[in-house]
Amino acid sequence: MANCPERDVRQHWVQRILDHDGFEGEEGGIEAWLQLGESVGLTREELWSEEHVLPGVRFAVDAYINFARKATWQEAASSSLTEMFAPKIHQARLDNWPDLYPWIDEKGYRYFRKRLSEARRDVQHGVEITLEHFKTREQQEHAVSLLQFKLDILWTMCDAMWMAYIEKRPPYTFEVELES
């Protein structure tokens, strides 16, 4: 949004920054995320150090950051529409995780509770920008490609986590069969 020349769009978008950073005594999403990490047994120092971030996850996040830097503000806003399904996902977590993970402290779920309403609002704004900017068939196909790119990033993150935590194949390991 830094390269968006439209003041009203920036004023609306800045709410996302406030949601994450907090304001006027209100803790933001970053603090809620830290509380989630603490609730599952990590320390703030571990979280801030990023020592547990898998290389594949870091690569995917960096790819999205680089995309957002180079994209037009409308493209960046449009790519955020992957959040369209976030409220359902967050609600499913809130409905099921306390039973599945009873050891997680209740305050750890605050992040997901906050994002229920924030994501709905954020998606509405992203939809408005997308519909206003991507009008022709070609532009709409481009918008779909932006969403596909963002989905590829999210799947890359999931794949890295699956390999490390489900397949028990940590980063930088491989198996080679040598022919005799």
Side-chain angles (χ1 to χ4, degrees):
M1 279 299 126
N3 64 358
C4 175
E6 298 183 28
R7 183 178 185 204
D8 60 324
V9 173
R10 290 193 315 272
Q11 287 175 329
H12 194 110
W13 200 271
V14 77
Q15 185 61 51
R16 290 177 183 233
I17 296 168
L18 296 173
D19 289 342
H20 292 291
D21 286 347
F23 57 96
E24 299 173 8
E26 175 71 26
E27 294 178 342
I30 294 171
E31 178 59 29
W33 189 255
L34 290 168
Q35 290 173 2
L36 173 60
E38 289 176 321
S39 293
V40 300
L42 298 170
T43 66
R44 285 178 180 254
E45 292 76 25
E46 287 175 290
L47 293 162
W48 281 116
S49 75
E50 301 176 2
E51 66 189 80
H52 299 295
V53 177
L54 295 168
V57 171
R58 184 178 311 280
F59 182 83
V61 170
D62 287 347
Y64 189 61
I65 289 169
N66 287 326
F67 159 77
R69 281 187 185 131
K70 295 175 183 175
T72 67
W73 64 271
Q74 296 98 332
E75 289 172 326
S78 184
S79 73
S80 75
L81 292 181
T82 55
E83 282 192 290
M84 194 171 287
F85 304 102
K88 266 190 178 175
I89 294 167
H90 294 326
Q91 188 61 60
R93 288 171 176 152
L94 291 167
D95 291 344
N96 297 300
W97 283 12
D99 292 331
L100 296 171
Y101 310 106
W103 49 271
I104 296 178
D105 187 292
E106 181 63 26
K107 74 178 181 179
Y109 295 114
R110 187 169 155 259
Y111 175 82
F112 300 114
R113 280 191 216 95
K114 284 178 55 58
R115 289 303 297 156
L116 285 172
S117 60
E118 292 170 354
R120 287 184 183 99
R121 182 205 59 226
D122 294 347
V123 164
Q124 182 58 42
H125 189 227
V127 166
E128 290 168 9
I129 291 170
T130 300
L131 292 176
E132 187 176 306
H133 181 72
F134 298 94
K135 295 188 182 280
T136 69
R137 173 72 181 212
E138 183 178 348
Q139 290 170 330
Q140 291 165 354
E141 287 175 0
H142 179 61
V144 170
S145 76
L146 296 170
L147 287 174
Q148 184 60 60
F149 172 73
K150 176 80 175 289
L151 290 170
D152 290 345
I153 285 172
L154 296 172
W155 275 114
T156 298
M157 294 168 66
C158 288
D159 289 347
M161 290 182 276
W162 181 273
M163 288 299 292
Y165 304 125
I166 304 301
E167 297 294 326
K168 305 294 187 212
R169 295 183 67 185
Y172 311 123
T173 63
F174 57 92
E175 297 175 20
V176 177
E177 286 188 35
L178 299 175
E179 293 183 25
S180 315

